[in-house]
Amino acid sequence: MKTNKKIAVVLSGSGVYDGSEIHEATLSLYAISKHGGEYQIFAPNIDQHHVVNHLTGEEMAETRNVLVESARIARGQIKDLTEFKANEFDAILFPGGFGVAKNLCSLAFDGAECKVNSAVEKVLKEMHEASKPIAALCIAPALIAKVITGAEVTIGHDEGTVGAIEAMGSHHKQAGHGEVVIDTKNKIVTTPCYMLDATIAQIGEGADNVVKTLMEM
């Protein structure tokens, strides 16, 4: 059933170690479509922090662009994040992956003192000020916690990340597989996904529950 809900999905590259987590991204897009919504994919037009060989886990001596790499997941149907307009969307969603903590912000290196990409910060603040729902999976809730002080989110129960979220002035609530934490005041929906030791079926359940909650908002 078509709902006419339009959701912006922000990617951070392609591949868990240096970009977007592909299962989380794809299953979020699937859930939006399944529940009758539409999506537009965005990514910042910036260089990745680094490139990681996903077979060996070792850093590679090359440069890749976040927008170009994200276009792989988007099948080329993607826009530069600077083109985002809050009045054109009902909600926004951030899948996880280390690209969130390395490219969209510097959480992986600076913890609670991390810097957030200016375009990412702008779109989050615009959606929050417009009182429109924001969703985040995996590590991405920590990004939300940095930009929207006082937010209540979950990343599962990783102590280091929980500590960073609390140090940012936001709040963490533990959650398990497929469980969703809802910050009703700030209209934020989060779920742990691969911050826990998860199967792809559990990722699908988490993404589905987040999208359903987002649409109900």
Side-chain angles (χ1 to χ4, degrees):
M1 186 180 75
K2 199 167 179 64
T3 66
N4 295 320
K5 299 292 185 188
K6 192 165 185 182
I7 299 175
V9 178
V10 181
L11 300 184
S12 60
S14 180
V16 59
Y17 300 129
D18 57 13
S20 291
E21 210 301 311
I22 294 172
H23 297 169
E24 293 171 5
T26 305
L27 289 167
S28 294
L29 299 174
Y30 171 71
I32 293 167
S33 182
K34 185 178 84 166
H35 292 293
E38 298 177 7
Y39 58 78
Q40 173 62 57
I41 304 171
F42 292 89
N45 187 8
I46 57 174
D47 286 342
Q48 293 182 185
H49 171 78
H50 62 182
V51 179
V52 176
N53 181 321
H54 279 57
L55 186 63
T56 65
E58 295 176 357
E59 189 169 343
M60 299 172 69
E62 61 180 88
T63 301
R64 296 192 187 183
N65 177 280
V66 172
L67 180 60
V68 172
E69 291 300 295
S70 298
R72 294 173 179 271
I73 298 171
R75 295 171 59 86
Q77 300 300 307
I78 191 167
K79 292 183 178 181
D80 187 328
L81 190 57
T82 58
E83 297 180 44
F84 174 87
K85 293 181 177 66
N87 62 2
E88 295 179 354
F89 295 93
D90 298 293
I92 193 166
L93 182 148
F94 288 76
F98 274 109
V100 173
K102 294 176 177 179
N103 303 328
L104 304 190
C105 72
S106 62
L107 177 74
F109 317 107
D110 303 321
E113 302 301 316
C114 66
K115 300 290 188 290
V116 178
N117 172 271
S118 58
V120 173
E121 185 172 17
K122 183 173 181 284
V123 302
L124 278 169
K125 286 183 173 178
E126 284 179 358
M127 291 298 277
H128 185 239
E129 287 164 7
S131 195
K132 292 186 175 182
I134 298 166
L137 287 64
C138 192
I139 191 65
L143 167 66
I144 312 304
K146 179 65 178 180
V147 176
I148 303 170
T149 306
E152 182 175 67
V153 300
T154 188
I155 50 83
H157 43 68
D158 177 73
E159 290 184 7
T161 311
V162 170
I165 288 168
E166 299 283 349
M168 291 170 185
S170 290
H171 313 288
H172 183 267
K173 185 175 181 180
Q174 288 198 9
H177 293 298
E179 292 180 347
V180 169
V181 168
I182 305 169
D183 178 342
T184 52
K185 178 186 173 184
N186 292 302
K187 291 192 174 180
I188 297 167
V189 187
T190 55
T191 193
C193 285
Y194 278 124
M195 287 297 286
L196 303 175
D197 185 14
T199 65
I200 194 168
Q202 289 167 328
I203 300 307
E205 182 185 7
D208 195 71
N209 289 340
V210 161
V211 169
K212 281 192 294 187
T213 306
L214 204 60
M215 289 187 167
E216 287 165 3
M217 282 182 162

